[in-house]
Amino acid sequence: MLKAVLFDLDGTLADTDPLHLLAWREVLAPYGLKVDPAFYRERISGRLNPEIVRDLLGLEGKEAERLIAAKEARFRALAQGLRPTPGLPEFLERIREKGLLWGVVTNAPKENARHVLEALGLRPPLLVLAEEVGRGKPDPLPYQLALGRLGVAPEEALAFEDSPSGVRSAVGAGIPTYGLLTGHEAEALREAGARGVFRDFREALGLL
């Protein structure tokens, strides 16, 4: 029996990926890197910031921290007037009507997560931040922790993700997982383990 629904944040609750792409493009340009949509999907989307800058630039320590801080500050400046993914308000209302638990599991830094949730007018009962867990997606630990905090078994939950990395994290925790086509192709999400894919939450209402 379904008891809980878990959501990724960026690209799932709101289509923030174009803003992240633009912010990364601006901060990486001085290093001679050109961030187009394909580069973003393949090298950045769904990954933790320290991993991204280490992989792309070989940066660690204070220099990496400064670059990450600049990128995230730029993202928050761009992320004004955010709107939820189509169908999300109705989906959350259905969750409330059915008395289901819900929460957000994200690789986003705390400031970004709070900024996006506040912009969307959302106050999830549970917020699991990878940076506080110690391991981020695609590791299953963030979702395992969410299940533990909610007191539900994996088969009693559903997860929604927009990246292969996120899908692998939720599937790795044993949760039936569905992908949203906001940033990645259906094939990539299915290969990562998604049971199905939806353009937005209007198409997913039938799951509840």
Side-chain angles (χ1 to χ4, degrees):
M1 185 178 75
L2 182 62
K3 294 183 179 179
V5 182
L6 295 169
F7 301 92
D8 173 47
L9 181 62
D10 286 304
T12 299
L13 297 185
D15 187 10
T16 53
D17 279 349
L19 304 180
H20 282 292
L21 188 157
L22 181 57
W24 278 114
R25 177 182 292 164
E26 292 182 8
V27 299
L28 292 177
Y31 295 88
L33 292 177
K34 296 181 180 180
V35 181
D36 61 15
F39 184 98
Y40 179 82
R41 286 193 302 271
E42 294 165 11
R43 305 291 299 275
I44 294 175
S45 178
R47 304 180 69 193
L48 290 171
N49 284 338
E51 296 173 357
I52 294 168
V53 297
R54 185 167 56 247
D55 175 42
L56 297 180
L57 303 171
L59 296 181
E60 294 184 290
K62 294 296 183 182
E63 190 174 358
E65 291 173 8
R66 284 194 293 270
L67 179 64
I68 290 167
K71 180 267 164 179
E72 298 306 349
R74 183 58 181 146
F75 166 76
R76 289 190 295 273
L78 292 168
Q80 307 298 323
L82 289 178
R83 299 187 64 82
T85 300
L88 179 63
E90 294 82 0
F91 200 85
L92 291 175
E93 180 59 30
R94 184 76 59 86
I95 286 174
R96 285 189 283 269
E97 289 173 356
K98 291 183 172 290
L100 302 176
L101 302 169
W102 71 284
V104 173
V105 181
T106 179
N107 274 0
K110 182 186 295 185
E111 279 191 73
N112 282 18
R114 289 178 173 172
H115 177 90
V116 172
L117 290 169
E118 184 176 336
L120 295 176
L122 298 178
R123 293 185 178 180
L126 172 71
L127 175 61
V128 175
L129 300 165
E131 67 180 18
E132 295 180 347
V133 173
R135 296 205 297 272
K137 306 170 188 178
D139 194 289
L141 184 60
Y143 274 103
Q144 291 169 339
L145 181 59
L147 292 171
R149 288 182 178 175
L150 293 177
V152 300
E155 63 272 14
E156 295 173 328
L158 291 178
F160 289 91
E161 280 280 355
D162 73 301
S163 72
S165 171
V167 171
R168 285 194 291 271
S169 174
V171 170
I175 304 171
T177 305
Y178 293 85
L180 290 180
L181 299 172
T182 52
H184 291 266
E185 298 294 330
E187 182 179 359
L189 297 172
R190 291 184 187 278
E191 286 180 356
R195 292 193 174 193
V197 296
F198 302 105
R199 284 175 293 184
D200 55 44
F201 287 103
R202 292 173 295 190
E203 294 184 353
L205 273 171
L207 293 175
L208 301 184

